[in-house]
Amino acid sequence: MVTIKDIAKVAGVSPSTVSRVISNHSRISKATTVKVKAIMEEMGYHPNVMAKSLVSKTTRTLAIVLPRPAEELFQDFFFGELLRGILAHSTRAGYDMLLAAATSPADESDTIARLVLGGRVDGVVLLSSRQNDPLVSMLAKHDFPTVLIGRTEGHDNIITVDTDNILASFDATTHLINQGHKKIGFIIGIPNLTVSVDRLAGYHKAMEEAGLTVNPEWIVDAEFLQQSGFRAMSFIMDIADRPTALVVIDDVTALGVMRGLKELDYNVPNDISLVSFNNIAVSELASPAISSVDIGTYQLGYTASHLLIRRIQENLNTGARNIIPHRLVVRESSIKDINKRG
Amino acid sequence: MVTIKDIAKVAGVSPSTVSRVISNHSRISKATTVKVKAIMEEMGYHPNVMAKSLVSKTTRTLAIVLPRPAEELFQDFFFGELLRGILAHSTRAGYDMLLAAATSPADESDTIARLVLGGRVDGVVLLSSRQNDPLVSMLAKHDFPTVLIGRTEGHDNIITVDTDNILASFDATTHLINQGHKKIGFIIGIPNLTVSVDRLAGYHKAMEEAGLTVNPEWIVDAEFLQQSGFRAMSFIMDIADRPTALVVIDDVTALGVMRGLKELDYNVPNDISLVSFNNIAVSELASPAISSVDIGTYQLGYTASHLLIRRIQENLNTGARNIIPHRLVVRESSIKDINKRG
DNA sequence: CTGAAAGCGCTTACAG
DNA sequence: CTGAAAGCGCTTACAG
């Protein structure tokens, strides 16, 4: 491995000078710069990242903390799209991303502590928020640069980027109401995620404002996993007073729901209509195509990375909540009497 | 930030001793060990990762290199599942994963050079293989610990983990032949990926062994992207001598194909049968459910990580190709006359 | 414009 | 069983 000293020796200058050439220091003569750069090129010099980090106390690396059940995580295009947005910006800004997974809840804090307190990363991206997440408190306590995709309360040094999930769910529900539905169910996901809480709240709000009553049986706990979506759906169709439309927590669950409905010989949208969230690529490819709230997933990731890096570099706290706009994409699953060919 | 010196001072020992306690050195008295550990705990000591790396010349970090069009990458559950397998093992082995994306082809080599030659990572995972990939040559030249998911030729210091894609495709095609099909088409993906090349070869082999001729028009270039799958399909159905079955390069493309067929009022599997690859979660949820070759994606990732870390730690070269077995999962899309309810 | 020196936080022969 | 010293490869005041 060729070091700064080797270059210095060959170039006949001091290591300090080589270092200054590398960092484009202003007070270095054109001549030395050119000579040293040529020698670096020739000898295949590559600066040792660790040594640099040790003295600069910065790593140009961000940690992406995967929500605990990494199992489910990658089942969903959603996280892929989020990662894509994060990577797009951070790569451009010259930051590397460290993927931090945890094997167990206890292990999660240890892993983060090791990375954060061990000086391995300059900032942290949290991909989802649970209510009262101890990880968030810990990061806030250390005042460590952190961006959370979702929301949290009582930590004003944690940057958050979020969808207005209450409004998004209000919009989705209202769309179904406008289609003439009065009995609308809701398939919820992992209960303690803030996203689940908020989307459920938006649904209730829309129902209430429209003067519609909600039968508690219409609200079914599912998981993001497809199988559970299926189970949830079998359950809901057996209710005597069953809904004619469903708001589903996300697209993958919606696929499971539709699959189950089909096996039970129900037609979507005619027997039961359906709207979901995230607008992942497959929602367009499903049959029928799924109406879904596009939450600008890529944009969420991109913005998160952007705000975090600004916080790190300029110590700018972008405070409070940063909301990415959403928009409902209406497709076949929520519109009866659609023109069909053939 | 509390350092080894701070601990040493408080404990009344030398920094060397503290260091030895941390690394569980054998010749340290029980008493000192206990005392020092207590103080570390009390003062909230966390070893500086960079300093440690600088002297040990090892980082306990692996780079995952994302195939250039990261755009497409995350469109596919497949890569998510692969990542999941990689992470599962590497986390367990105490390695961190660095996600390396490249904005442009030229940039890709630079990024890797920086990470590899700058001593930032101990090993590299390549997620897919193109033919004659310069990145592979570069890594091989430096004899840098590398595992490639896919295959390559002429570099015996590159560990590879792969599916026997020729056989997998042979099996898929043969399955359709056994269902009585004689005219079978093939929807290919990105052409210069080894996986595309191999799956096409397996298809040809099966057709040939069955004494069936292939109409070149039946082989359609698509992309992994769904839209292209759709386009490819519209094209193929307009051929006079059109196929009655299709082998499709992967599940996401297959979804696009099925979507298009449905819009053109063709029934799968009755008008045209279909088999694809990867067996991602949605292939089971689609209507009809898609027959797909399960290539043990998680296992591919897990094994890749395992072999790479073994190579790093024990300098064991696992040589040649490591093949993960596959198995065809038959579902509705390739079986006519399936019993349907209702 | 450039160099000598100190130091980032750790590890590890060497000596005792 | 433990300490003093040198060193990993870099940066950055300080001095000239």
Side-chain angles (χ1 to χ4, degrees):
Chain A
M1 160 157 277
V2 25
T3 74
I4 242 180
K5 280 189 190 170
D6 301 325
I7 305 292
K9 207 166 292 172
V10 175
V13 296
S14 76
S16 335
T17 300
V18 176
S19 172
R20 290 192 183 101
V21 168
I22 293 168
S23 56
N24 289 315
H25 194 97
S26 52
R27 298 211 188 299
I28 294 287
S29 76
K30 196 81 194 165
T32 355
T33 303
V34 170
K35 181 169 66 178
V36 170
K37 282 201 166 158
I39 293 173
M40 287 187 344
E41 178 74 25
E42 187 185 316
M43 298 183 65
Y45 172 74
H46 286 270
N48 182 301
V49 184
M50 297 304 167
K52 180 166 183 175
S53 287
L54 182 57
V55 15
S56 70
K57 301 207 170 299
T58 128
T59 62
R60 284 241 154 205
T61 305
L62 269 25
I64 300 184
V65 180
L66 304 180
R68 231 177 286 113
E71 313 305 304
E72 299 163 16
L73 180 81
F74 287 120
Q75 301 276 43
D76 198 334
F77 283 121
F78 168 72
F79 283 98
E81 187 67 8
L82 206 51
L83 274 184
R84 200 163 78 74
I86 295 171
L87 276 172
H89 179 265
S90 54
T91 302
R92 211 160 299 170
Y95 278 74
D96 289 320
M97 307 302 306
L98 204 66
L99 230 40
T103 44
S104 71
D107 184 54
E108 188 174 51
S109 290
D110 288 358
T111 303
I112 307 311
R114 181 174 59 78
L115 296 176
V116 165
L117 305 174
R120 181 161 223 164
V121 298
D122 295 347
V124 167
V125 182
L126 263 23
L127 290 193
S128 76
S129 59
R130 293 164 191 275
Q131 294 185 299
N132 304 316
D133 194 326
L135 205 55
V136 174
S137 310
M138 183 260 218
L139 260 1
K141 198 185 80 198
H142 286 277
D143 198 25
F144 196 79
T146 302
V147 63
L148 169 68
I149 296 181
R151 63 174 175 79
T152 185
E153 270 140 38
H155 302 293
D156 55 0
N157 53 357
I158 300 286
I159 303 171
T160 65
V161 182
D162 202 5
T163 306
D164 184 340
N165 278 306
I166 296 182
L167 183 58
S169 188
F170 180 91
D171 292 349
T173 310
T174 300
H175 163 64
L176 291 173
I177 294 170
N178 290 343
Q179 295 299 308
H181 295 282
K182 302 202 178 309
K183 300 179 183 178
I184 302 174
F186 190 91
I187 313 276
I188 197 176
I190 302 174
N192 64 338
L193 291 182
T194 56
V195 57
S196 304
V197 173
D198 290 354
R199 287 180 185 170
L200 183 59
Y203 155 81
H204 272 122
K205 187 162 172 251
M207 292 296 275
E208 191 174 328
E209 288 195 12
L212 298 172
T213 43
V214 171
N215 178 340
E217 286 191 305
W218 296 342
I219 297 168
V220 176
D221 237 284
E223 307 255 294
F224 286 117
L225 293 174
Q226 305 77 1
Q227 298 90 330
S228 320
F230 172 85
R231 255 185 280 128
M233 183 277 335
S234 309
F235 176 78
I236 217 167
M237 296 307 280
D238 283 345
I239 303 172
D241 179 34
R242 75 178 180 216
T244 62
L246 293 175
V247 181
V248 184
I249 193 72
D250 81 1
D251 293 329
V252 177
T253 305
L255 279 175
V257 167
M258 292 203 335
R259 171 80 192 156
L261 287 169
K262 201 196 161 203
E263 296 206 345
L264 298 174
D265 264 334
Y266 290 106
N267 175 282
V268 176
N270 295 316
D271 296 328
I272 188 154
S273 293
L274 189 150
V275 179
S276 72
F277 297 88
N278 293 2
N279 195 31
I280 62 177
V282 276
S283 50
E284 191 175 357
L285 295 177
S287 311
I290 303 175
S291 297
S292 188
V293 179
D294 192 315
I295 60 170
T297 312
Y298 178 91
Q299 200 53 235
L300 276 166
Y302 195 95
T303 305
S305 171
H306 179 67
L307 295 177
L308 178 58
I309 290 173
R310 230 172 56 184
R311 157 85 163 81
I312 292 168
Q313 294 186 335
E314 307 166 28
N315 200 20
L316 248 175
N317 193 336
T318 352
R321 300 184 74 193
N322 298 277
I323 296 292
I324 304 297
H326 62 268
R327 119 194 115 84
L328 175 65
V329 179
V330 176
R331 298 200 184 91
E332 301 160 7
S333 73
S334 65
I335 302 284
K336 291 192 198 178
D337 303 328
I338 196 168
N339 283 348
K340 291 206 174 205
R341 293 183 239 160
Chain B
M1 159 156 278
V2 25
T3 74
I4 241 179
K5 281 189 189 169
D6 301 324
I7 304 293
K9 207 165 294 173
V10 174
V13 297
S14 76
S16 336
T17 299
V18 176
S19 172
R20 291 192 181 101
V21 169
I22 294 168
S23 55
N24 289 316
H25 195 96
S26 54
R27 297 214 188 297
I28 294 288
S29 76
K30 196 81 194 165
T32 353
T33 303
V34 170
K35 182 170 63 177
V36 170
K37 282 203 168 157
I39 294 174
M40 286 186 345
E41 178 75 24
E42 185 185 316
M43 297 183 65
Y45 171 74
H46 286 270
N48 182 302
V49 184
M50 297 305 169
K52 180 166 183 175
S53 286
L54 182 56
V55 16
S56 71
K57 302 208 168 299
T58 128
T59 62
R60 283 243 154 205
T61 305
L62 268 26
I64 300 184
V65 180
L66 304 180
R68 231 177 285 112
E71 313 305 305
E72 298 163 16
L73 181 82
F74 287 120
Q75 301 276 42
D76 198 332
F77 284 121
F78 167 72
F79 283 98
E81 187 67 5
L82 206 51
L83 274 184
R84 200 163 76 74
I86 295 170
L87 277 171
H89 179 266
S90 54
T91 302
R92 211 160 299 170
Y95 277 75
D96 290 320
M97 307 302 305
L98 204 66
L99 230 40
T103 44
S104 71
D107 184 54
E108 188 175 53
S109 291
D110 288 359
T111 303
I112 307 310
R114 180 174 59 78
L115 296 176
V116 165
L117 305 173
R120 181 161 223 166
V121 297
D122 295 348
V124 166
V125 182
L126 264 22
L127 290 193
S128 76
S129 60
R130 294 165 190 274
Q131 294 186 299
N132 303 317
D133 195 326
L135 204 55
V136 174
S137 309
M138 183 261 216
L139 260 0
K141 199 186 79 199
H142 286 278
D143 198 26
F144 196 81
T146 302
V147 64
L148 169 67
I149 296 180
R151 63 175 176 79
T152 184
E153 270 139 38
H155 302 292
D156 55 1
N157 53 357
I158 301 285
I159 303 171
T160 65
V161 182
D162 202 5
T163 306
D164 184 340
N165 278 306
I166 296 182
L167 183 58
S169 187
F170 179 92
D171 291 350
T173 309
T174 299
H175 163 65
L176 292 172
I177 293 170
N178 289 342
Q179 296 298 310
H181 294 282
K182 301 198 179 314
K183 301 178 183 179
I184 303 174
F186 190 91
I187 313 275
I188 197 175
I190 301 174
N192 64 339
L193 292 182
T194 56
V195 57
S196 305
V197 174
D198 290 354
R199 288 181 184 169
L200 183 59
Y203 155 80
H204 272 122
K205 186 161 172 252
M207 293 295 276
E208 191 174 328
E209 289 195 11
L212 298 172
T213 44
V214 171
N215 178 340
E217 287 191 304
W218 297 342
I219 297 169
V220 176
D221 237 283
E223 308 255 294
F224 285 117
L225 293 172
Q226 306 76 0
Q227 296 90 328
S228 318
F230 173 83
R231 255 185 279 128
M233 184 275 337
S234 309
F235 177 78
I236 217 166
M237 295 308 279
D238 283 344
I239 302 172
D241 180 33
R242 74 180 182 219
T244 62
L246 293 174
V247 180
V248 184
I249 195 71
D250 80 0
D251 294 329
V252 177
T253 304
L255 279 174
V257 166
M258 291 202 338
R259 172 80 191 157
L261 286 169
K262 200 196 165 204
E263 296 205 346
L264 297 175
D265 264 335
Y266 290 105
N267 175 281
V268 176
N270 295 316
D271 296 327
I272 188 155
S273 293
L274 189 151
V275 178
S276 72
F277 296 87
N278 293 3
N279 195 30
I280 64 177
V282 275
S283 49
E284 191 175 357
L285 295 176
S287 311
I290 303 175
S291 298
S292 188
V293 179
D294 192 316
I295 60 171
T297 312
Y298 178 90
Q299 199 53 236
L300 275 166
Y302 196 95
T303 306
S305 170
H306 179 67
L307 295 178
L308 179 58
I309 290 174
R310 231 173 55 184
R311 157 85 163 81
I312 291 168
Q313 294 185 335
E314 307 165 27
N315 200 20
L316 248 175
N317 194 336
T318 353
R321 301 183 73 195
N322 299 278
I323 297 293
I324 304 297
H326 61 269
R327 119 194 115 84
L328 175 64
V329 179
V330 176
R331 298 200 183 91
E332 301 159 6
S333 73
S334 65
I335 302 283
K336 291 191 198 180
D337 301 329
I338 197 169
N339 284 348
K340 291 206 175 205
R341 294 182 238 161

